[in-house]
Amino acid sequence: MNDPGRETEDGEQGPAAAATDLHAFAVALRRMNGEINRLVHAFAGDHGLHATDVQALAAILDADVPMTPKRLREHLGLTSGAVTACVDRLERAGHVRRVRESADRRVVHLYYAADARSAARTYFRPLAEATDAARSRFTGEELAVVLRFLAAMNEELGTGADRHRR
């Protein structure tokens, strides 16, 4: 149970300590993850996709450089066969395009299809609106701290996943 007066791991007590203790973070992160997963699974189901397909779409959308099947495999931690099946499903459903852009015809880049991006934006609009509403409750300085925390969490989780794969 999340007790607002509980003692933190460093011995602090009271509501301020409870707001920053590890348990409070774990509960909040699990709840947010559950809500996002609910949306992802609904999107996947409505579009005849697997939840992993939606993770692949997000990876393609968020990539700083054009995504390749190899990078997607590494990002998702899947076998090459599983990634091929995933990309095949996404391409058949009109969500991604495979493009051979380089002189080396073996190099394939994956792009999120424009029509599919529009459909995803529409579907995930409630998430965007909730994010915007929540952001409006904080100052720019507070949001900068939140973004630093989320970036640090992603870095730590990525490092942990890398350690786990070894």
Side-chain angles (χ1 to χ4, degrees):
M1 181 173 350
N2 198 5
D3 177 4
R6 69 190 277 153
E7 186 174 319
T8 66
E9 292 172 1
D10 13 355
E12 295 179 33
Q13 290 186 335
T20 59
D21 92 327
L22 185 58
H23 178 74
F25 274 88
V27 169
L29 288 169
R30 277 193 302 269
R31 183 169 177 213
M32 184 174 65
N33 185 56
E35 292 300 323
I36 291 172
N37 279 341
R38 185 179 53 77
L39 285 170
V40 165
H41 285 277
F43 178 83
D46 287 354
H47 289 87
L49 303 173
H50 299 147
T52 302
D53 298 342
V54 181
Q55 290 177 333
L57 285 173
I60 293 166
L61 180 66
D62 296 343
D64 295 332
V65 295
M67 183 61 76
T68 64
K70 178 182 178 189
R71 286 185 44 235
L72 187 59
R73 178 183 59 77
E74 291 167 351
H75 179 79
L76 296 175
L78 298 175
T79 65
S80 58
V83 166
T84 298
C86 173
V87 173
D88 287 347
R89 279 190 304 273
L90 291 172
E91 189 175 42
R92 271 193 312 273
H95 289 279
V96 299
R97 296 179 299 114
R98 286 180 169 115
V99 178
R100 297 183 194 290
E101 295 180 301
S102 73
D104 183 348
R105 301 292 294 158
R106 295 173 296 178
V107 176
V108 174
H109 291 149
L110 305 171
Y111 292 98
Y112 209 128
D115 291 345
R117 187 182 296 227
S118 176
R121 269 195 199 112
T122 299
Y123 199 93
F124 287 101
R125 184 167 286 124
L127 177 60
E129 290 169 351
T131 301
D132 198 39
R135 285 178 56 236
S136 73
R137 299 181 199 170
F138 297 88
T139 67
E141 294 82 17
E142 290 171 322
L143 290 172
V145 172
V146 170
L147 283 175
R148 274 192 11 247
F149 171 77
L150 292 173
M153 280 294 297
N154 285 323
E155 182 181 321
E156 291 296 328
L157 289 170
T159 302
D162 290 343
R163 280 192 305 261
H164 187 351
R165 284 188 202 123
R166 289 182 199 152

